[in-house]
Amino acid sequence: VQLVESGGGSVQSGGSLRLSCAASGYTYSRYSMGWFRQASGKEREGVAAIRKDGRTTYADSVKGRFIISQDGAKYTVSLQMNSLHREDTAMYYCAATGANYRDYYYYSEASPPLKKERYNYWGQGTQVTVSS
């Protein structure tokens, strides 16, 4: 499985960016895909996630500003980021769940997870820098 992110870059505060992630070699019928970020010196945190059935989860810090979407037929996920703040500066990672989630959590959890432990596959990351 390979996840490839694109769309990062530099933007001024208040601006917008769109991240995309394409998964190859990924064929799970029940899955979630998500976006995480890691700022310098901080833990990796969940930003937004989407399940195959379209359910979404957002971190409180991005609700109302970020929108996650997917093209399920192609195993791609995008993150539209609006009204960016300096605090959104981080390396952004795409992630996808694996067999354990498919077998034990897809139906038992109401929403796609923002816990990094649920995800088995990770992209290399794309940098987002927001300046004032």
Side-chain angles (χ1 to χ4, degrees):
V1 176
Q2 186 176 20
L3 303 179
V4 179
E5 304 104 333
S6 62
S10 297
V11 65
Q12 289 192 324
S13 181
S16 298
L17 282 174
R18 184 177 179 88
L19 306 181
S20 294
C21 171
S24 59
Y26 188 73
T27 59
Y28 291 96
S29 58
R30 299 188 296 275
Y31 64 88
S32 284
M33 295 183 72
W35 288 96
F36 289 73
R37 67 186 181 187
Q38 188 167 15
S40 181
K42 294 189 177 181
E43 293 282 325
R44 188 171 299 190
E45 63 176 358
V47 175
I50 188 165
R51 211 166 68 172
K52 185 180 189 301
D53 62 4
R55 295 186 183 186
T56 58
T57 305
Y58 293 93
D60 288 343
S61 59
V62 306
K63 281 180 181 177
R65 300 189 298 123
F66 291 11
I67 301 171
I68 189 169
S69 60
Q70 67 177 344
D71 182 341
K74 297 181 181 179
Y75 295 106
T76 61
V77 61
S78 297
L79 186 68
Q80 178 65 41
M81 305 186 295
N82 301 319
S83 301
L84 284 161
H85 306 156
R86 287 187 63 184
E87 296 73 33
D88 296 314
T89 294
M91 184 71 80
Y92 282 71
Y93 297 90
C94 176
T97 56
N100 198 49
Y101 177 82
R102 177 197 65 196
D103 295 340
Y104 297 105
Y105 297 106
Y106 183 87
Y107 289 121
S108 64
E109 294 183 339
S111 299
L114 290 181
K115 301 176 183 178
K116 54 184 183 289
E117 294 77 14
R118 290 283 189 267
Y119 294 83
N120 294 85
Y121 306 104
W122 295 85
Q124 292 299 308
T126 185
Q127 179 68 37
V128 171
T129 302
V130 185
S131 59
S132 58

